[in-house]
Amino acid sequence: MEEVPCCHCGGFFVPSPKHKNQIYCMKPDCRRAKKAAWKREKMRTVPDFKLGQQLSNKKWAKANPDYWKEYRRENPEKTERNRQLQIVRNRRRSKKPNGASVSDHLVIAKVDASKPNKFNPIGQYYLVPMIAKVDALKVRIFEISTGCQ
Ligand SMILES: [Zn+2]
């Protein structure tokens, strides 16, 4: 059986013979990511599932008011990552009236149309946010045939 890259960590693994379409490896973080992706898919496709989740999240947060405060204190790295991802989400949301988002506009402005585009989107890259005070993220990009969402 051939090794495939994990959708979450990018590490290569051999899918279990019982689950030939496996796209997440067996590391605990990746199994959590798989579950989260399943949940997102459910939220998107089953209207009552989202409502139920929101209600139970609210109930839980009421019973555990200090949880997220504690979590942020104990996991500064994850808090920072989440903060950066939120910046990206916010940017995606801030659409200009003509339908183009602010970030689309900035990306387009940096492309030099006179040179052929030799960008090969596979390898190691830094994702550099277009505001100076946010750190760059190092990412690995693989070609995937199994179709990660
Ligand atoms: Zn993994």
Side-chain angles (χ1 to χ4, degrees), residues 6 9 25 27 30:
C6 167
C9 68
C25 75
K27 283 184 213 130
C30 301

Side-chain angles (χ1 to χ4, degrees), residues 79-88 129 134-135 137:
T79 303
E80 177 59 22
R81 176 178 175 271
N82 198 35
R83 202 180 63 81
Q84 298 207 3
L85 288 174
Q86 188 60 52
I87 290 169
V88 173
V134 176
D135 288 342
L137 296 171

Side-chain angles (χ1 to χ4, degrees), residues 25-37:
C25 75
M26 298 301 280
K27 283 184 213 130
D29 258 9
C30 301
R31 301 189 61 178
R32 262 195 296 277
K34 180 188 174 196
K35 199 175 168 200

Side-chain angles (χ1 to χ4, degrees), residues 8-60:
H8 183 64
C9 68
F12 284 84
F13 71 100
V14 180
S16 137
K18 282 188 200 151
H19 307 281
K20 290 206 169 73
N21 295 325
Q22 194 182 340
I23 55 174
Y24 291 89
C25 75
M26 298 301 280
K27 283 184 213 130
D29 258 9
C30 301
R31 301 189 61 178
R32 262 195 296 277
K34 180 188 174 196
K35 199 175 168 200
W38 173 85
K39 218 164 149 180
R40 271 198 303 276
E41 181 60 19
K42 273 276 220 207
M43 297 267 233
R44 211 171 54 78
T45 53
V46 184
D48 286 352
F49 184 84
K50 189 170 183 176
L51 198 67
Q53 287 289 316
Q54 283 169 344
L55 283 176
S56 85
N57 284 349
K58 254 186 205 161
K59 230 159 128 189
W60 185 88

